[in-house]
């Protein structure tokens, strides 16, 4: 190799080295740029929890419109159509043939078929004809519209309060006055009120469209929590002005997941909290105002049926006393890019244990599930004992009626049936199978069993005295 050839070879090596450095530098530069852009975008995402695609107002009712600004929350909201059964709750999709009067092709399983004792307990009441497992929010309006209970008893417009998005319809009906619109719809027949609503629960029912803050829009809760606070020495409580954000994360759920009754011929919706939220306080309230839901077909007792007192039972449990809100477990936070949002697929925490439970509890998913199901299994077994006792009491009263026993003994037994039935139903109707307040649920069921047995003792003593 001569000198010229050696120089050319050296130049080629230098060129290759420089080219390699340029390529590597370019790759590193592109990578760093992409990383910085990604960091910038994530910071922007965290600074801007949503992008205002459309202007939302206090009359924007359609969830799909809100979904343009909040697509991730809207996606979760749409998934409330999912039907998933847990060991002691949830719903499964049961196919049905649509009819002209009921276009549903899928319903939830019948709880009456699962446990015929419910038919005995609710004899003479519409729930003894059709009672199915509750489905997700997506179905709350259709399932109320097409239930066979509508055929048995013509229901009032009051039902819309918790089965439809009523904020805008109430305001329209009341010329801007929410309470006035509420009162007007209560008095309407269900079929007429149904024409005024378009959606099941919607974004506007829980959120202020201007600033997205949580708010209570249901008059039943506004008035109910005011009566509760008054009983605690806090007059004129205004929930939307006074409640903390964490309280609101339960209050918006408590707008509907509660015990209630329809008061008077005007069918005003009332949450019976004037004496407190415990089953004993509510029972005392009903006794004082002499309210009955119906007269039992077999025993002729004036009885009550609890609705779905999740909010009341939750207040009796350790989670509520520890400051844990409904949304913490049923709408747990989730990461979407740099954003942290509430999961709007509202459902059982047992279906998302890692996000709903393990945020606070440092145990495995299997362990958390096992603990929850142990509580539910105990509750369910006690519920069955209470149900057996109540069915026996009803049968004994019916037997004594046929035997022509005196009304004095029957009256006392019927009073015990009323208590036993409401206490049992308070746990039966509550959607957690005791989990919201395990100790209180077992205490209530124990009281129910005792009331049923005391009713049987009264009947026995009455029979022996004649």
């Amino acid at each position: 190799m001569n000198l010229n050839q050696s120089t050319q070879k050296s130049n080629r090596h230098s060129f290759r080295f420089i080219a390699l450095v340029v390529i590597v530098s370019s790759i590193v530069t592109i990578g760093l740029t992409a990383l910085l852009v990604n960091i910038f975008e994530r910071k922007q995402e965290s600074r801007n929890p949503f992008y205002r695609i459309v202007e939302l107002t206090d009359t924007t009712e359609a969830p799909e419109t809100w979904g343009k600004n909040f697509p991730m929350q809207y996606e979760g909201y749409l998934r409330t159509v999912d039907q998933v059964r847990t060991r002691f709750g949830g719903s499964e999709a049961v196919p049905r043939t649509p009819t002209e009067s009921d276009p549903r092709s899928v319903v939830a399983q019948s709880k009456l078929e699962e446990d015929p004792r419910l038919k005995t307990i609710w004899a003479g009441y519409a729930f003894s004809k059709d009672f199915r497992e509750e489905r997700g929010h997506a179905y709350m309006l259709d399932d109320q519209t097409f239930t066979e209970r509508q055929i048995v008893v013509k229901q009032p417009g009051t039902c819309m309060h918790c089965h439809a998005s009523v904020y805008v319809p109430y305001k329209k009906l009341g010329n801007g006055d929410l309470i006035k619109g509420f009162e007007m719809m209560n008095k309407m027949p269900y079929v007429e009120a149904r024409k005024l609503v378009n959606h099941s629960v919607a974004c506007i029912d829980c959120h202020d469209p201007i600033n997205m803050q949580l708010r209570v829009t249901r008059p039943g809760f506004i008035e109910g929590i005011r009566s509760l606070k008054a009983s605690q020495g806090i007059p004129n409580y205004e929930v939307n002005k006074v409640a903390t954000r964490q309280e609101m994360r339960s209050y918006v759920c408590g707008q509907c997941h509660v015990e209630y009754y329809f008061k008077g011929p005007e069918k005003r919706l009332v949450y019976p909290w004037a004496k407190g939220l415990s089953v004993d306080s509510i029972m005392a309230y009903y006794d004082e105002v002499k309210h009955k839901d119906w007269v039992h077909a077999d025993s002729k007792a004036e009885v009550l049926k609890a609705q779905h007192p999740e909010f009341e039972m939750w207040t009796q449990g350790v989670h509520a006393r520890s400051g844990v809100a409904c949304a913490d477990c049923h709408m747990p936070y989730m990461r979407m890019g740099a954003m942290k949002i509430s999961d709007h697929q509202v459902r059982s925490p047992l279906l998302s244990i890692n996000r709903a439970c393990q945020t606070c509890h440092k145990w495995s998913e299997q362990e958390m599930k096992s603990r929850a199901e142990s509580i539910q299994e105990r509750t369910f077994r006690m519920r069955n004992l209470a149900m057996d006792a109540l069915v026996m009491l009803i049968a004994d009263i019916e037997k004594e009626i046929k035997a022509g026993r005196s009304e004095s003994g029957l009256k006392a037994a019927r009073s015990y049936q009323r208590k036993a039935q409401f206490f049992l139903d308070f746990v039966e109707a509550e959607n957690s199978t005791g989990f919201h307040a395990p100790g209180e649920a077992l205490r209530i069921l124990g009281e129910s069993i005792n009331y049923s047995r005391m009713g049987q003792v009264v009947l026995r003593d009455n029979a022996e005295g004649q």
Side-chain angles (χ1 to χ4, degrees), residues 317-372:
V318 67
H319 285 95
R321 296 184 180 188
S322 302
V324 178
C326 305
D328 287 320
C329 304
H330 294 278
M331 303 176 68
Y333 286 117
M334 57 195 297
R335 282 283 177 190
M336 302 292 284
M339 289 190 289
K340 186 176 75 170
I341 67 170
S342 290
D343 186 350
H344 279 59
Q345 186 185 8
V346 184
R347 57 181 183 165
S348 168
L350 293 178
L351 298 173
S352 53
I353 291 175
N354 59 336
R355 288 186 286 111
C357 308
Q358 291 181 308
T359 303
C360 298
H361 300 284
K362 306 304 178 187
W363 301 94
S364 70
E365 287 193 36
Q366 185 55 45
E367 172 64 17
M368 296 310 303
K369 184 179 180 185
S370 176
R371 290 186 184 190

Side-chain angles (χ1 to χ4, degrees), residues 279 283 287 302-304 390 412-425 444 447-448 451-452:
V279 64
M283 186 82 221
D287 286 344
E302 295 183 347
V303 282
L304 303 161
L390 179 56
R414 288 169 179 151
S415 176
Y416 282 122
Q417 180 192 342
R418 174 182 165 94
K419 291 187 174 76
Q421 183 148 325
F422 187 64
F423 273 55
L424 165 61
D425 216 24
I444 292 171
E447 297 268 12
S448 174
Y451 287 136
S452 290

